Amino acid sequence: MKTMKMIALFVCLLMFAGIFTACDDGGGGTGTTPTSESAVRVDEKIEGIDFSNDNINFLSMYYKPADSSPDAMLELVDFRGGKAAKITPAAGSTPYVVIDAASLLGSRLSDVKTVEVGIAAENSDGTFYAVSGEIIVFRDWKQQEKSGAWSVYLDNRNPNIATMTLDESFSAGEGNFFVINRRIDNAVVAEKTPSNLYITKIGFLDAGGAYLPVNADAVFDVPEGFNDVGEEIIIQLGEMNVINSPTQQGWLTNGTDGKESHLLGEEVSKAVTLVLEFDSPPEGEMQVIWLGDGNGWDWNQVAVIPEGGMDDTRIEVNLTTTFDDYEKFKQSDQMKIFIGYYTDKIEDLGITNAYLIAYED
């Protein structure tokens, strides 16, 4: 949790330098009392989609990313005197929402230079928590071109506007998307219920800064394979083949440190879950550690069993949410994964089975 707090603070400082009231350390004082009566509706300037026709069918939740969840929901709701698309995240996952630019713009698709999206955040406990994430350009729906940051960091600028400018124009065809995700929610950092997100408006601008006409009645054109998770793959880890100390042992992939291994980096890097089974419940804190060429061999250590141990003899570790640099994990060709268990030696854990779960593309 300390790591998550530092991440939240770092992102806030990075994105909002000079706005000293925007963020705190992500702890219990992260939330603020809403001040919606004095809010600056910066999204009002956007011309295009405002959901007044009750259509959100050009939007879709995206469940294929490993850190997403099929339990996240998308629905049309009344919101602050108008309509909005509400995204209800699932705990412990990242929500992704896809905007089908091709269906909304039709023959004007190639004229798009910039997209603007009004985004608001609201928590069920009535407190405002800062949120931030990415807006991503996809071409042909599988090809991620670029990403940028968005944020709702002050309640009196809630909704705020997410903006993305294309490097090159879209060409005609399906699968030309803008994808919105939420990466950091200070409510989650403070161990509260995740904040709900609202898309309030969407506008597309041409190179001259003029808003383009849109088909507000558009329907999402679903490409073949969209949201197909793929077949589950089990990667047996086998016996530990790398030792850092008696209390830190684990596995390395083939070629790491010049050693041979049955574990291949291109397979391990696709893993989303680590499963460990024990002969008896662990009695103390246990950590999972990874490092590899994807993150410059930086030591990333996270406690997954707290001090005092646990009651079960099996644990599933969601790597996509456990490691704050999971994207770098996916980019690794060589890596090491350690288990840290602070008794006399790692053998005291009594691991009877260890494997990774991945999914075919």
Side-chain angles (χ1 to χ4, degrees), residues 63-338:
Y63 301 123
K64 199 160 188 173
D67 57 349
S68 67
S69 169
D71 294 327
M73 295 186 299
L74 174 68
E75 59 185 323
L76 178 75
V77 298
D78 295 320
F79 184 73
R80 300 184 185 177
K83 299 285 188 177
K86 177 183 178 182
I87 300 99
T88 304
S93 67
T94 299
Y96 291 78
V97 184
V98 182
I99 302 169
D100 185 357
S103 294
L104 285 168
L105 290 156
S107 62
R108 300 299 299 272
L109 177 66
S110 60
D111 295 333
V112 176
K113 182 64 176 178
T114 301
V115 64
E116 294 180 342
V117 183
I119 303 179
E122 192 172 77
N123 198 277
S124 58
D125 69 3
T127 303
F128 172 76
Y129 298 90
V131 297
S132 59
E134 298 170 307
I135 180 168
I136 309 168
V137 178
F138 274 80
R139 295 178 187 270
D140 300 324
W141 84 269
K142 291 184 179 181
Q143 181 182 346
Q144 178 177 330
E145 178 179 277
K146 64 181 294 188
S147 63
W150 65 265
S151 64
V152 181
Y153 55 94
L154 293 173
D155 189 49
N156 63 6
R157 290 181 67 87
N158 179 24
N160 207 359
I161 298 178
T163 302
M164 171 58 72
T165 298
L166 296 174
D167 293 332
E168 297 181 7
S169 298
F170 281 134
S171 56
E174 68 174 16
N176 291 293
F177 297 153
F178 292 99
V179 179
I180 304 285
N181 69 30
R182 186 268 293 141
R183 286 294 182 193
I184 295 177
D185 179 355
N186 277 357
V188 175
V189 175
E191 300 182 347
K192 306 293 184 179
T193 301
S195 299
N196 297 320
L197 303 179
Y198 298 83
I199 295 178
T200 59
K201 287 196 171 187
I202 304 171
F204 301 94
L205 296 88
D206 63 19
Y211 285 99
L212 294 166
V214 294
N215 175 15
D217 297 318
V219 175
F220 196 95
D221 188 1
V222 183
E224 183 178 355
F226 183 79
N227 270 339
D228 289 350
V229 175
E231 183 179 350
E232 184 177 278
I233 301 171
I234 302 298
I235 304 170
Q236 290 289 345
L237 292 172
E239 294 185 2
M240 293 181 173
N241 59 9
V242 60
I243 300 174
N244 188 57
S245 72
T247 58
Q248 292 176 341
Q249 300 181 37
W251 304 268
L252 54 72
T253 58
N254 192 48
T256 302
D257 293 344
K259 297 181 179 179
E260 293 186 2
S261 171
H262 74 284
L263 299 170
L264 303 179
E266 60 266 29
E267 296 178 352
V268 172
S269 62
K270 296 179 181 179
V272 298
T273 306
L274 168 65
V275 180
L276 299 174
E277 298 174 354
F278 314 99
D279 56 15
S280 61
E283 297 178 354
E285 180 179 304
M286 191 193 83
Q287 295 144 352
V288 174
I289 304 134
W290 95 275
L291 63 162
D293 55 2
N295 73 347
W297 299 99
D298 287 338
W299 186 270
N300 192 331
Q301 175 175 309
V302 183
V304 295
I305 296 177
E307 293 183 18
M310 57 184 275
D311 296 328
D312 296 326
T313 58
R314 185 178 188 274
I315 184 173
E316 292 190 8
V317 180
N318 184 337
L319 302 179
T320 70
T321 55
T322 297
F323 294 130
D324 52 56
D325 59 355
Y326 178 74
E327 288 298 316
K328 295 179 180 179
F329 179 91
K330 293 197 301 182
Q331 297 165 9
S332 297
D333 294 317
Q334 296 182 345
M335 72 178 78
K336 301 175 186 178
I337 299 174
F338 290 101

